[in-house]
């Protein structure tokens, strides 16, 4: 009775200016009507996915601006836009936790509703996977080649905490947060579907582990190990102890 009562109210919102501007009528009808949900947790399942798609739309839109700004060497706007991207990425990771409140049985009931749908088909994620290639090409051209410097220079040989270094760190943070999203998503799968079960697109553990290992800006990761090797050569593998004990 309450479900019907409040469902009706939600689905016929009063269209004052707030609702008109935000298109609340359309927004609130993007989910199954409450009366048709297969299980209590299905609304949350749909909403978390929809919200994540919206956040990815915002990230993509922000990264388009970043691509334009890289071509103009506008480092300060790039850094502030990337800060926004990182905040959204953290929100996206946090939101996955909500789905860990769902019982494995309820997930099985929801799964029957999904057809052949898989996160691999997420329009936002598929687009996001393509963007780092363009970002790296522009970063190389405008921050490295045109300035006649290498990644090694800005991180080590000529390190001065310059704008190229700050932008590179913003890129690696994006990369790290993409990987963290993928690892956290694997824990979510462990909690709901189980990591060794057969998924719609093959065994999830393989599909997902390959993805979680993907590095978008390998040059920025590699420079750290190269530095450790180079610096390490100076004092050799075994260093002098700094404790007084012999
Ligand atoms: C209980 C909730 C979830 C389960 C059980 C689940 C399950 C899976 C599985 C099994 C895969 C592997 C591909 C496949 O076989 O279909 C996958 C991939 C994926 N899922 Fe989920 N998922 C859940 C929630 C989410 C949420 C909330 C998002 C948010 C966007 C998401 C986004 C993705 C993405 C982007 C991939 C592709 C990952 C990659 O290529 O590394 N999933 N999911």
């Amino acid at each position: 009775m309450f479900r019907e009562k409040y469902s009706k109210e939600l689905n016929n919102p009063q269209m004052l200016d707030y609702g008109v501007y935000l298109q609340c009528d359309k927004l609130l009808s993007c989910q199954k009507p409450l009366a048709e949900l297969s299980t209590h947790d299905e609304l949350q399942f749909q909403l978390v996915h929809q919200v994540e798609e919206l956040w990815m739309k915002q990230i993509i839109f922000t990264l388009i601006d970043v691509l334009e700004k890289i071509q103009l060497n506008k480092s300060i706007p790039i850094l502030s836009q990337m800060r926004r991207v990182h905040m959204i990425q953290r929100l996206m990771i946090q939101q996955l936790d909500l789905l860990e409140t769902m019982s494995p049985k309820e997930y099985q009931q929801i799964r029957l509703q999904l057809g052949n749908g898989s996160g691999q088909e997420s329009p936002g994620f598929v687009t996001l996977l393509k963007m780092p290639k363009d970002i790296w090409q522009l970063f190389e051209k405008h921050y490295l080649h045109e300035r006649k410097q290498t990644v090694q220079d800005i991180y080590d040989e000529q390190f001065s905490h310059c704008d190229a270094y700050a932008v590179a760190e913003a890129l690696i943070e994006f990369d790290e947060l993409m990987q963290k999203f993928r690892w956290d998503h694997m824990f979510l799968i462990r909690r709901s579907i189980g990591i060794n079960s057969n998924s719609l697109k093959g065994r999830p553990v393989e599909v997902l582990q390959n993805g979680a290992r993907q590095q978008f800006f390998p040059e920025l990761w590699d420079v750290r190990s190269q530095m450790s090797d180079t610096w390490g050569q100076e004092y050799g593998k075994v260093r002098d102890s700094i404790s007084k004990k012999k």
Side-chain angles (χ1 to χ4, degrees):
M1 175 191 137
F2 287 125
R3 204 180 262 216
E4 274 155 32
K5 178 178 164 193
Y6 291 117
S7 185
K8 225 184 244 168
E9 185 149 337
L10 250 187
N11 290 332
N12 298 299
Q14 255 197 325
M15 290 302 275
L16 302 177
D17 285 0
Y18 177 90
V20 170
Y21 180 72
L22 295 175
Q23 303 191 44
C24 287
D25 52 345
K26 284 194 201 150
L27 188 66
L28 297 173
S29 55
C30 286
Q31 299 78 39
K32 269 191 180 178
L34 301 188
E36 290 172 27
L37 294 169
S38 63
T39 165
H40 186 83
D41 279 7
E42 192 176 359
L43 179 64
Q44 179 185 249
F45 184 85
Q46 243 186 352
L47 278 174
V48 172
H49 280 83
Q50 288 178 339
V51 170
E52 299 267 21
E53 286 300 331
L54 293 177
W55 283 135
M56 286 190 273
K57 181 175 182 178
Q58 179 63 49
I59 293 180
I60 291 160
F61 183 56
T62 313
L63 288 179
I64 292 171
D65 194 42
V66 167
L67 282 165
E68 287 163 5
K69 298 278 185 320
I70 294 179
Q71 296 174 77
L72 303 170
N73 276 268
K74 294 212 167 198
S75 305
I76 292 176
I78 293 172
L79 293 176
S80 81
Q81 294 293 55
M82 287 307 292
R83 186 164 167 259
R84 176 179 299 169
V85 168
H86 302 148
M87 278 188 188
I88 301 174
Q89 286 182 288
R90 289 198 176 87
L91 277 179
M92 286 184 62
I93 295 169
Q94 252 183 347
Q95 280 164 34
L96 291 177
D97 286 351
L98 270 170
L99 292 178
E100 294 201 348
T101 63
M102 174 176 62
S103 71
K105 177 155 184 201
E106 273 172 306
Y107 175 66
Q108 294 300 333
Q109 289 165 315
I110 294 169
R111 201 177 179 211
L112 296 174
Q113 314 292 313
L114 303 179
N116 295 316
S118 150
Q120 278 180 305
E121 296 159 9
S122 150
F125 202 75
V126 168
T127 308
L128 270 183
L129 291 180
K130 291 182 183 152
M131 296 190 87
K133 197 171 162 213
D134 285 334
I135 295 176
W136 182 253
Q137 275 176 358
L138 288 182
F139 177 79
E140 259 193 328
K141 180 169 186 281
H142 295 277
Y143 280 84
L144 301 178
H145 298 167
E146 279 176 7
R147 298 183 185 192
K148 299 195 176 12
Q149 55 188 6
T150 63
V151 171
Q152 191 78 25
D153 293 335
I154 59 176
Y155 272 83
D156 195 12
E157 315 261 302
Q158 296 160 29
F159 174 71
S160 65
H161 213 126
C162 62
D163 64 334
Y165 167 80
V167 171
E169 282 298 283
L171 299 186
I172 207 164
E173 192 154 337
F174 168 80
D175 198 340
E176 181 175 321
L177 288 166
M178 283 292 278
Q179 288 179 49
K180 283 185 175 166
F181 175 84
R182 284 170 135 174
W183 286 109
D184 273 40
H185 171 262
M186 273 206 296
F187 279 102
L188 169 62
I189 292 180
R190 275 195 164 149
R191 286 284 291 268
S192 46
I193 186 178
I195 203 76
N196 288 319
S197 61
N198 262 319
S199 74
L200 294 164
K201 310 277 173 188
R203 291 189 87 74
V205 71
E206 277 129 40
V207 180
L208 296 165
Q209 276 181 356
N210 287 342
R213 288 201 195 97
Q214 183 176 9
Q215 293 181 344
F216 294 113
F217 306 117
E219 289 86 344
L220 299 182
W221 293 105
D222 291 348
V223 70
R224 291 149 217 269
S225 346
Q226 286 156 11
M227 283 170 66
S228 297
D229 289 346
T230 316
W231 282 69
Q233 273 168 14
E234 276 184 28
Y235 34 69
K237 272 191 188 151
V238 181
R239 300 161 185 83
D240 293 337
S241 167
I242 56 165
S243 74
K244 289 188 182 113
K245 279 190 197 160
K246 289 250 159 142

